[in-house]
């Protein structure tokens, strides 16, 4: 008897066949490969999808509240026209008498499991199956996975979670999209995750639109000190008399007058507040953390990063499975770190040598924790060295992953957060920044120092000199529009029900220069300023999954609810209209807390702690109550959309 190996994509199936040496000479146009042990074939992503309402039930073709809510007794799956031929091929392969079992080789995650289970159920297959769980797509990783095939039943809970997620998305999306379209005078789309995310963007745009800017002036002094390396300068803000409580001046003349009081004069450090802070090495990347970093550094969208990471995994085979929500590795994987570090390109060798030495020291590492790893571990470089001809953007993503691997095994960085009050002939200035005592893991990610003011290590009474001053006109700033980095962070936290900027989002002022600052405000010396603490994971499961958050953002853009302007994501007028309507009727649909509860329940189903039937019943109850509310709403006049 033979085993039928089912991959998720043709390229993955051919890779498996190559490693197993199954009919290597067969044409690339073949629908499957075969030898005396295996038949290797593949899906083409999702071969099946949930049927539309009118296909589930002919009565539901009518868009009317008389047909709402729509609850299929059994969800009908339909074959997608562009992949129907492959379904027929797989139907024949599964029915072959010489095929005794199936080896499921779809992607190692919730969606990959669902793709197989939908086909298995749709074709009425009853043959036994085992699971190939590939995290490292190198030849060695594939062979290892084949040596550790797992019973298919082990993933029943994961499959149940995947079905519950898909069915709940259908129930919420189809019912409420119809309800809001019927009542709203426009074709509206509602989604379990997309609507709370859109609400966040709408709230941010409203805060920005309502903001009233006020003008002010600042004066920045450039200072030198005998204790600072020759030629190096550092900035300080000239404070406004008489109380020297802030650095904002109402008029340009006031700022210029104060500049004249200090320009070219000597002074001294009058008061010094310092706190030594240890910044632990970061955890490894999960998908969301990688997407945020790639957006901040290179402006890549979440989808672009996911697509490139997937290519680095599948085609280039230089990183491990990217659709992970874990930032940890197991003790077993940890044993491979010297070899993985050694396999990095030679350009990393000064840093890898430091990491290898620390591995030998017997130190403990926060990213190594068996209890924090379930089905997937963090994204890592594999033992394969990238080709020199690899696309530049792929190199940039690989570089982030490689440097993060090194950083995770380097020592903590040590900085001295410093606030200096300077006296220049009775006038006051303030300098706030960092003294870097030990760069530690920042040697691997040096760009993280870029936002921080580097100060000399001065003591009270030390002399300083004002080399120059600059007066700038500025104005108070509204909250920043979200970038994909900050939106992904908000989705990861799932804590954005309150309108306005969530905690930890982009600051509207950098403490000096154009944003202005007020020295009277408390400066938290524990603050990492430009350095983001990544030594701990996000505190919640948030909303959405790492592998789907990029798709949610793209969907909002595609449907015209959100516009991209460079890195910024801005809610459109249509998006604002929809959220206003939803918040005035069924506001729970815009609540991240509600969505977070649903997401937590799906995770509990995957772990065997919750029942999928109970979850779907709760979704149906919520949908029923929401539809009753919508049925009582008056019809809104149809508003034509502006021509594109």
């Amino acid at each position: 008897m033979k085993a039928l190996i089912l991959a998720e994509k043709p390229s993955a199936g051919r890779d498996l066949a190559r490693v197993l040496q199954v009919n290597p000479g067969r044409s690339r146009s073949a629908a499957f490969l075969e030898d005396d042990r295996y038949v290797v074939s593949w899906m083409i992503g999702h071969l099946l999808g949930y049927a539309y309402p009118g296909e589930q039930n002919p009565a539901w073709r009518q868009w009317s509240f008389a047909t709402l809510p729509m609850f299929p007794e059994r969800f009908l799956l339909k074959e997608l026209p562009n992949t129907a031929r492959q379904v027929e091929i797989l139907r024949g392969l599964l029915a072959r008498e010489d095929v005794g079992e199936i080896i499921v080789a779809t992607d190692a995650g919730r969606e990959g499991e669902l793709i197989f289970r939908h086909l298995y159920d749709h074709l009425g297959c009853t043959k036994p199956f085992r699971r190939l769980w590939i995290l490292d797509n190198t030849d060695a990783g594939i062979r290892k996975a084949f040596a550790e095939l797992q019973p298919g039943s082990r993933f029943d809970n994961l499959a149940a979670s995947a079905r519950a997620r898909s069915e709940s998305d259908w129930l919420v999306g189809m019912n409420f999209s119809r309800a809001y379209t019927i009542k709203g005078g426009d074709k509206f789309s509602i989604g379990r995750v997309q609507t709370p995310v859109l609400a966040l963007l709408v709230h941010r745009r409203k805060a920005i639109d309502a903001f009233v800017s006020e003008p002010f002036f600042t004066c920045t002094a450039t200072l030198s000190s005998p204790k600072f390396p020759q030629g190096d300068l550092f900035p300080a803000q000239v404070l406004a008399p008489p109380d020297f409580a802030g650095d904002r001046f109402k008029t340009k003349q006031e700022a210029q007058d104060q500049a004249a009081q200090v320009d070219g004069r000597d002074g001294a450090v009058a008061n010094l507040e310092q706190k030594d802070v240890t910044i632990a090495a970061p955890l490894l990347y999960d998908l969301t953390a990688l997407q945020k970093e790639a957006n901040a550094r290179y402006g890549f969208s979440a989808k672009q990063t996911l697509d490139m990471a997937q290519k680095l995994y599948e085609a280039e085979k230089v990183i491990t499975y990217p659709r992970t929500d874990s930032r940890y590795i197991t003790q077993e994987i940890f044993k491979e770190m010297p070899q993985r570090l050694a396999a990095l390109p030679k350009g990393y060798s000064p840093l890898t040598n430091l990491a290898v030495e620390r591995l030998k020291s017997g130190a403990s590492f926060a990213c190594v924790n068996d209890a924090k790893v379930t089905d997937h571990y963090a994204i890592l470089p594999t033992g394969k060295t990238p080709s020199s001809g690899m696309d530049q953007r792929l190199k940039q993503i690989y570089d982030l992953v490689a440097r993060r691997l090194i950083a995770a095994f380097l020592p903590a960085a040590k900085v001295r957060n410093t606030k200096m009050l300077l006296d220049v002939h009775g006038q006051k200035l303030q300098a706030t920044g960092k003294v870097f005592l030990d760069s530690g893991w920042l040697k691997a990610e040096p760009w993280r120092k870029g936002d921080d003011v580097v100060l000399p290590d001065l003591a009270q009474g030390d002399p300083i000199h004002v080399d120059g001053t600059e007066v700038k006109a500025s104005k108070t700033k509204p909250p920043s529009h979200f970038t994909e980095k900050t939106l992904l962070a908000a989705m990861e936290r799932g804590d954005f029900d309150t309108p306005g900027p969530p905690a930890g989002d982009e600051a509207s002022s950098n403490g000096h220069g154009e944003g202005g600052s007020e020295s009277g405000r408390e400066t938290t010396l524990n603050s990492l300023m430009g350095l983001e603490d990544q030594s701990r994971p996000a505190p919640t499961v948030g909303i959405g999954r790492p592998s789907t958050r990029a798709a949610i953002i793209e969907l909002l853009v595609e449907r015209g609810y959100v516009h991209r302007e460079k890195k910024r994501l801005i809610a459109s007028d249509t998006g604002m209209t929809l959220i206003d309507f939803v918040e005035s009727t069924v506001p729970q649909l815009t609540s991240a807390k509600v969505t977070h509860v649903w997401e937590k329940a799906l995770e509990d189903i995957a772990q065997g702690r919750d029942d999928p039937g109970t979850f779907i019943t709760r979704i149906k109850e919520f949908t029923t109550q929401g539809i009753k509310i919508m049925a009582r709403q008056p019809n809104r006049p149809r508003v034509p959309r502006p021509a594109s």
Side-chain angles (χ1 to χ4, degrees):
M1 299 294 282
K2 299 181 180 182
L4 171 61
I5 300 172
L6 283 181
E8 187 164 323
K9 300 172 185 174
S11 59
R14 293 188 182 99
D15 252 356
L16 296 176
R18 178 185 56 77
V19 172
L20 297 171
Q21 296 184 328
V22 176
N23 203 354
R26 189 82 180 268
S27 167
R28 289 187 63 81
S29 63
F32 61 91
L33 303 168
E34 183 174 6
D35 66 5
D36 57 355
R37 301 165 298 157
Y38 300 113
V39 179
V40 182
S41 194
W42 40 81
M43 322 285 190
I44 306 174
H46 283 275
L47 295 176
L48 306 163
Y50 287 126
Y52 288 113
E55 297 166 320
Q56 300 277 356
N57 184 337
W60 294 345
R61 292 195 178 99
Q62 181 184 4
W63 284 53
S64 164
F65 273 89
T67 64
L68 297 179
M70 303 174 292
F71 295 152
E73 289 185 16
R74 185 176 184 276
F75 277 91
L76 175 68
L77 291 167
K78 67 174 183 178
E79 298 176 13
L80 304 178
N82 59 335
T83 56
R85 179 175 177 273
Q86 191 65 16
V87 173
E88 286 307 305
I89 289 168
L90 295 178
R91 191 193 305 272
L93 293 177
L94 286 166
R96 278 175 44 169
E97 292 185 0
D98 62 338
V99 171
E101 73 161 343
I102 305 161
I103 296 175
V104 183
T106 52
D107 278 359
R110 193 162 69 180
E111 280 305 296
E113 192 67 24
L114 186 64
I115 286 171
F116 166 71
R117 298 289 182 125
H118 270 170
L119 182 75
Y120 187 82
D121 294 343
H122 179 71
L123 298 182
C125 186
T126 58
K127 291 182 179 180
F129 60 89
R130 289 186 289 168
R131 193 61 161 96
L132 183 73
W133 200 252
I134 300 174
L135 299 177
D136 181 338
N137 208 31
T138 61
D139 290 5
I142 291 171
R143 292 189 189 100
K144 180 180 179 182
F146 267 102
E148 299 172 351
L149 287 171
Q150 302 176 52
S153 59
R154 180 188 164 186
F155 300 92
D156 286 349
N157 289 332
L158 184 67
S161 174
R163 286 196 188 94
R165 193 272 304 160
S166 294
E167 291 177 8
S168 65
D169 282 353
W170 194 99
L171 293 170
V172 171
M174 291 297 181
N175 281 291
F176 284 107
S177 293
R178 282 201 172 189
Y180 280 96
T181 296
I182 293 169
K183 294 290 187 177
D186 202 346
K187 187 174 182 179
F188 286 130
S189 172
I190 300 293
R192 179 179 62 89
V193 177
Q194 77 177 54
T195 304
V197 174
L198 176 58
L200 175 63
L201 294 168
V202 166
H203 293 155
R204 181 59 61 87
R205 180 180 159 185
K206 285 184 175 182
I208 293 169
D209 289 349
F211 188 85
V212 179
S213 184
E214 297 179 359
F216 65 92
F217 294 85
T218 60
C219 180
T220 303
T222 304
L223 309 178
S224 59
S225 171
K227 289 202 169 185
F228 214 25
Q230 189 173 4
D232 283 359
L233 304 173
F234 64 98
Q237 294 305 115
V238 177
L239 304 182
D243 55 4
F244 302 110
D247 63 2
R248 294 184 180 182
F249 297 86
K250 291 182 180 179
T251 68
K252 184 176 183 180
Q253 188 61 52
E254 289 177 355
Q256 289 175 332
D257 290 346
Q258 197 62 19
Q261 293 284 327
V262 300
D263 203 354
R265 307 188 76 173
D266 294 326
V269 178
N271 188 49
L272 196 65
E273 292 182 45
Q274 292 184 315
K275 186 173 182 66
D276 288 356
V277 177
T278 298
I279 307 172
L283 296 175
L284 298 161
Y285 281 131
D286 64 4
L287 177 58
T288 301
L290 180 61
Q291 287 170 320
K292 290 190 295 183
E293 192 68 57
N295 180 250
R297 288 213 69 204
Y298 304 119
F300 297 155
S301 71
K303 183 179 185 301
Q304 287 173 326
T305 299
L306 173 57
D307 290 347
M308 287 186 281
Q310 197 72 21
K311 187 170 183 179
L312 288 170
Y313 166 67
E314 290 182 348
E316 302 292 339
K317 304 181 188 302
V318 294
I319 67 170
T320 57
Y321 182 73
R323 295 172 181 259
T324 175
D325 59 359
S326 176
R327 303 188 67 177
Y328 298 89
I329 58 173
T330 61
Q331 287 286 347
E332 180 183 0
I333 298 297
F334 175 63
K335 295 175 185 176
E336 302 174 6
M337 290 305 103
Q339 291 76 28
R340 297 207 186 212
L341 286 164
L344 295 178
K346 291 181 180 179
Y348 296 102
S349 58
L351 295 169
T352 55
N353 293 341
L354 293 174
V356 169
E357 285 303 311
R358 191 145 187 269
L359 289 175
K360 293 176 181 177
S361 72
S364 61
F365 302 98
C367 64
V368 183
N369 189 328
D370 285 43
K372 298 290 181 74
V373 179
T374 52
D375 296 325
H376 306 102
Y377 51 77
I379 303 172
L380 301 171
T382 64
K384 182 180 177 183
T385 302
S387 66
S388 58
M390 195 165 66
D391 177 81
Q392 178 61 26
R393 299 202 307 171
L394 293 180
K395 288 180 180 178
Q396 289 171 321
I397 297 297
Y398 177 82
D399 182 64
L400 290 177
V401 175
R403 286 181 175 276
R404 177 50 59 90
L405 175 69
I406 296 167
F409 298 111
L410 291 181
K414 296 179 181 179
V415 300
R416 182 165 292 153
N417 285 341
T418 301
K419 181 169 69 172
M420 288 189 248
L421 184 64
L422 311 167
D423 185 284
V424 179
H425 289 267
Q427 307 307 312
K428 299 294 189 291
L429 297 81
Q430 180 175 284
T432 303
K434 280 186 172 64
V435 176
F436 284 88
L437 306 174
D438 184 346
S439 293
W441 63 272
L442 294 173
K443 295 185 182 78
E445 300 184 4
W447 60 86
R448 297 196 180 281
K449 294 183 181 181
D451 292 335
D452 291 296
V453 175
V454 179
L455 296 178
D457 193 7
L458 301 180
Q460 190 167 338
D462 280 349
I464 56 95
H465 179 75
V466 180
D467 288 62
T469 56
E470 182 181 13
V471 172
K472 284 187 177 181
S474 193
K475 57 185 179 180
T476 55
K477 287 186 175 182
S480 300
H481 279 293
F482 280 92
T483 64
E484 296 211 19
K485 175 185 177 181
T486 55
L487 183 59
L488 286 168
M491 294 172 75
E492 188 176 43
R493 293 191 307 266
D495 61 356
F496 50 73
D497 276 303
T498 304
D505 190 34
E506 293 178 325
S508 61
S509 167
N510 58 14
H512 55 87
E514 195 172 81
S517 66
E518 293 185 17
S519 302
R521 296 175 184 169
E522 181 66 23
T523 300
T524 304
L525 291 179
N526 285 318
S527 169
L528 297 180
M529 297 172 67
L531 293 171
E532 181 182 356
D533 182 4
Q534 299 192 60
S535 62
R536 294 182 298 275
T540 71
V541 297
I543 63 169
R545 302 294 296 167
S547 58
T548 62
R549 288 170 185 150
I552 292 296
I553 296 171
E554 294 301 320
L555 187 65
L556 290 172
V557 173
E558 177 185 317
R559 289 180 172 165
Y561 297 150
V562 174
H563 299 313
R564 270 196 183 95
E565 292 185 7
K566 296 182 178 179
K567 285 187 179 182
R568 302 185 303 169
L569 296 169
I570 303 174
S572 68
D573 291 347
T574 304
M576 295 181 76
T577 299
L578 174 57
I579 293 303
D580 286 347
F581 190 16
V582 175
E583 290 186 330
S584 68
T585 49
V586 188
Q588 295 87 344
L589 287 168
T590 67
S591 170
K593 289 180 180 177
V594 171
T595 305
H596 170 68
V597 169
W598 293 349
E599 202 66 56
K600 180 65 168 61
L602 292 170
E603 183 63 25
D604 286 343
I605 293 169
Q607 299 301 322
R609 297 189 296 261
D610 200 355
D611 174 62
T614 302
F615 172 76
I616 292 296
T617 297
R618 295 197 298 265
I619 294 293
K620 288 180 177 179
E621 290 171 352
F622 169 80
T623 303
T624 299
Q625 294 304 313
I627 294 300
K628 286 180 180 177
I629 292 170
M630 290 303 300
R632 297 194 294 266
Q633 303 301 314
N635 288 348
R636 296 189 172 198
R638 184 165 297 278
V639 180
R641 292 198 183 190
S644 57

